[in-house]
Amino acid sequence: AVVSTQSTGEVQRNTFFGQLSSFISNMAAFQLPPEQIAEFREKMVQMADLDKDQIEMLREMSPAIRGLDESEEESSFSEKLESFRERGRSMLKNMSKSFTFDFGLGIE
């Protein structure tokens, strides 16, 4: 059995964050106007109780959302994308630390 040290609210926030991240990524992949993506994101952020790191990560998900303009170099985009990925990995690692596993072996 998996025993979670996260509250129900934390689980819901993290689930919402993951789903919203995927949705925003898909919006960018389908090349929706950056203004429309940003407007949608901000409305969703206002409705959810996300923490500031999650909100910042959502705002950095596409070139337009991160504030890149067409004159910036491709390496700048790649560096920022890698930074976003690293922060995502770190966040997932921290979230996974909040779970403990009980295999019923009677070992404390």
Side-chain angles (χ1 to χ4, degrees):
V2 176
V3 180
S4 173
T5 58
Q6 287 185 317
S7 70
T8 302
E10 288 176 299
V11 171
Q12 289 175 344
R13 274 190 300 279
N14 290 333
T15 300
F16 183 81
F17 170 75
Q19 291 174 341
L20 185 56
S21 297
S22 294
F23 199 83
I24 290 171
S25 292
N26 288 337
M27 292 174 79
F30 285 110
Q31 300 178 352
L32 270 74
E35 300 80 23
Q36 188 176 7
I37 296 171
E39 180 182 348
F40 173 79
R41 180 200 63 234
E42 292 306 314
K43 285 179 181 178
M44 294 296 106
V45 164
Q46 288 176 3
M47 290 180 0
D49 185 26
L50 302 177
D51 66 39
K52 71 176 188 162
D53 288 337
Q54 290 173 322
I55 294 169
E56 186 178 334
M57 289 176 71
L58 289 171
R59 288 179 176 152
E60 294 182 352
M61 291 192 64
S62 74
I65 293 170
R66 280 200 306 266
L68 292 178
D69 61 57
E70 296 172 11
S71 65
E72 289 190 89
E73 296 179 21
E74 185 67 26
S75 63
S76 176
F77 173 78
S78 298
E79 290 168 5
K80 289 183 179 186
L81 181 59
E82 186 54 39
S83 171
F84 175 73
R85 287 180 180 151
E86 186 57 40
R87 289 177 41 214
R89 287 184 206 110
S90 175
M91 184 175 220
L92 288 173
K93 185 184 284 185
N94 289 336
M95 287 170 45
S96 69
K97 288 179 183 177
S98 66
F99 288 93
T100 57
F101 296 93
D102 178 8
F103 294 105
L105 301 175
I107 302 171
E108 299 277 331

